[in-house]
Amino acid sequence: MIIKFVLLAELIAIVTTIGRNNEFNDQAWQDFTLLSLFAVFIALCSIIVLKVASPLFKRTSTTTGSVFTLLVLLLVTTLVTDAVIYLLHDIGLIQERWPPWRESFLIRSLMIAGIIGWFGVRYLIYQERAVVEGKLQQEAKLQALQSRIRPHFLFNSLNSVASLTRSDPAKAEAVLHDLADLFRVLLADARKLVPVTAEREISRQYLELEKLRLGDRLQVKWNVSNIPRAALMPALTLQPLLENAIYHGIEPRFAGGLIKIEMWHEGETLNIMISNPLPDVQKETHGRGNKIAQENIRQRLATQFGDAASMQVIQEGGQYHVKVKMPVIRG
């Protein structure tokens, strides 16, 4: 903000110097030097006063705050103008303490300060509104993207609970608790980051639910190393990818298969790799659904981290790998 004020003051000094002189000679250079010092001094004094008075402005409305800001700028301009005239007389550049051109010079200075101040205040208001609207749009986008994640395993899990109700009531109750935890995360605020340990626990609960349905056809192997304890990540990043791995990789295979989840820390980057075997027979609908879910995760990561996060898909050796990179955020 200080740099913007100073550059604006220099621009005013340049424009005024060009308007006052037909050619750029020693007199023009002297005018520019004096006007530049004068404008920068007003700008710096205004910044200091506005900074000191900012707690008061924060308690007022936008209109009232704008009026107070303009009044402060005009008051500072008046005081600085008289101070500069006094200083010029003190160092001998002008003969009279209060020269006859003081009033016209003060009026012109106040007019310039008022016009520039009004446009400046409007610019800052529009800039602040743009920032707020951008944040609201980002939050709305995150909520919309997360609301799309509605795991179809809900119905399968409820069927599993129904079958366990009579044969193993205790296990059915545990399954319902896991299901409740999953949907508690699903309905949580999409803007919040959660500890990596919490995301791993939610993923473990999800995999346990799927094991009820798939039995020994689903094998899981975790390989987690060198992850900072306080590391955070977006909620429900792993679960949709694991759901994809099961739905598109494990279910279509008669013998099932192994899902490997690898997580490691490298520099300031958190790496995640989820691997599953490719199905025996590729189905177009499965591939299309896989891409939709992956694009959803990719958009969520881009909204949360921008270019600092990425997702890569690799198929090799009969395996399907999804690699996610995101910056390490410590809570």
Side-chain angles (χ1 to χ4, degrees):
M1 188 61 68
I2 291 175
I3 293 174
K4 290 181 180 179
F5 267 68
V6 171
L7 290 177
L8 181 60
E10 290 295 334
L11 181 62
I12 294 171
I14 292 171
V15 172
T16 306
T17 302
I18 293 173
R20 284 168 53 90
N21 297 273
N22 295 325
E23 58 183 20
F24 195 76
N25 49 26
D26 292 340
Q27 180 62 41
W29 180 253
Q30 184 179 6
D31 284 352
F32 171 71
T33 303
L34 293 175
L35 286 170
S36 178
L37 292 172
F38 175 61
V40 170
F41 192 41
I42 290 178
L44 294 177
C45 290
S46 299
I47 291 173
I48 293 172
V49 175
L50 290 174
K51 182 63 178 177
V52 172
S54 61
L56 177 62
F57 291 162
K58 289 178 180 178
R59 294 195 292 268
T60 63
S61 64
T62 302
T63 303
T64 305
S66 301
V67 172
F68 283 164
T69 300
L70 287 175
L71 291 176
V72 167
L73 290 175
L74 294 177
L75 177 61
V76 170
T77 301
T78 302
L79 296 175
V80 171
T81 301
D82 283 341
V84 168
I85 293 174
Y86 186 89
L87 181 62
L88 291 176
H89 172 74
D90 207 43
I91 62 178
L93 290 179
I94 58 176
Q95 298 298 322
E96 301 179 26
R97 174 73 68 184
W98 304 114
W101 46 264
R102 170 184 172 272
E103 290 185 3
S104 62
F105 179 65
L106 178 59
I107 291 173
R108 288 197 301 271
S109 299
L110 290 174
M111 290 178 63
I112 293 173
I115 294 172
I116 298 299
W118 186 83
F119 281 109
V121 168
R122 299 305 302 171
Y123 166 75
L124 292 175
I125 290 174
Y126 287 131
Q127 185 183 47
E128 179 66 19
R129 286 177 180 172
V131 171
V132 172
E133 288 177 1
K135 289 181 178 179
L136 291 175
Q137 289 176 0
Q138 184 185 43
E139 293 170 3
K141 186 177 180 180
L142 277 172
Q143 294 287 5
L145 287 171
Q146 183 156 325
S147 67
R148 294 181 196 173
I149 303 175
R150 290 292 182 262
H152 67 274
F153 74 91
L154 169 65
F155 304 105
N156 297 327
S157 300
L158 290 176
N159 288 332
S160 300
V161 171
S163 64
L164 288 171
T165 302
R166 293 184 179 179
S167 61
D168 194 343
K171 192 170 185 179
E173 183 179 357
V175 171
L176 285 175
H177 282 304
D178 288 344
L179 201 57
D181 289 339
L182 279 167
F183 276 84
R184 189 178 296 112
V185 175
L186 181 66
L187 298 174
D189 191 345
R191 297 168 297 175
K192 292 183 178 180
L193 301 176
V194 299
V196 173
T197 52
E199 181 68 5
R200 284 178 55 197
E201 177 61 19
I202 286 295
S203 301
R204 185 199 62 77
Q205 290 175 311
Y206 163 71
L207 292 171
E208 289 296 324
L209 289 171
E210 289 289 27
K211 277 188 176 182
L212 287 176
R213 183 170 59 91
L214 297 173
D216 293 337
R217 293 176 61 209
L218 174 60
Q219 303 295 321
V220 178
K221 181 180 180 181
W222 288 86
N223 185 8
V224 180
S225 62
N226 198 26
I227 301 293
R229 287 188 176 181
L232 303 176
M233 63 186 298
L236 285 181
T237 299
L238 293 178
Q239 185 275 326
L241 297 177
L242 292 172
E243 184 178 355
N244 269 353
I246 292 173
Y247 183 65
H248 300 287
I250 304 300
E251 279 191 21
R253 294 173 60 88
F254 177 78
L258 172 68
I259 292 179
K260 290 194 295 185
I261 306 107
E262 300 173 80
M263 302 178 68
W264 71 98
H265 171 237
E266 187 175 3
E268 290 301 315
T269 303
L270 175 63
N271 298 279
I272 302 169
M273 176 86 82
I274 296 178
S275 307
N276 62 268
L278 290 170
D280 299 324
V281 179
Q282 292 280 0
K283 293 184 179 180
E284 185 180 350
T285 55
H286 272 227
R288 185 165 58 248
N290 202 9
K291 291 179 180 178
I292 292 173
Q294 289 173 2
E295 184 60 26
N296 183 290
I297 299 296
R298 186 177 283 110
Q299 289 184 31
R300 289 178 63 209
L301 291 172
T303 304
Q304 193 85 50
F305 301 113
D307 295 335
S310 64
M311 188 172 73
Q312 183 181 8
V313 174
I314 306 167
Q315 293 188 39
E316 61 180 8
Q319 292 285 313
Y320 189 90
H321 309 279
V322 178
K323 185 175 183 180
V324 176
K325 291 185 176 182
M326 66 183 74
V328 175
I329 307 296
R330 292 176 171 83

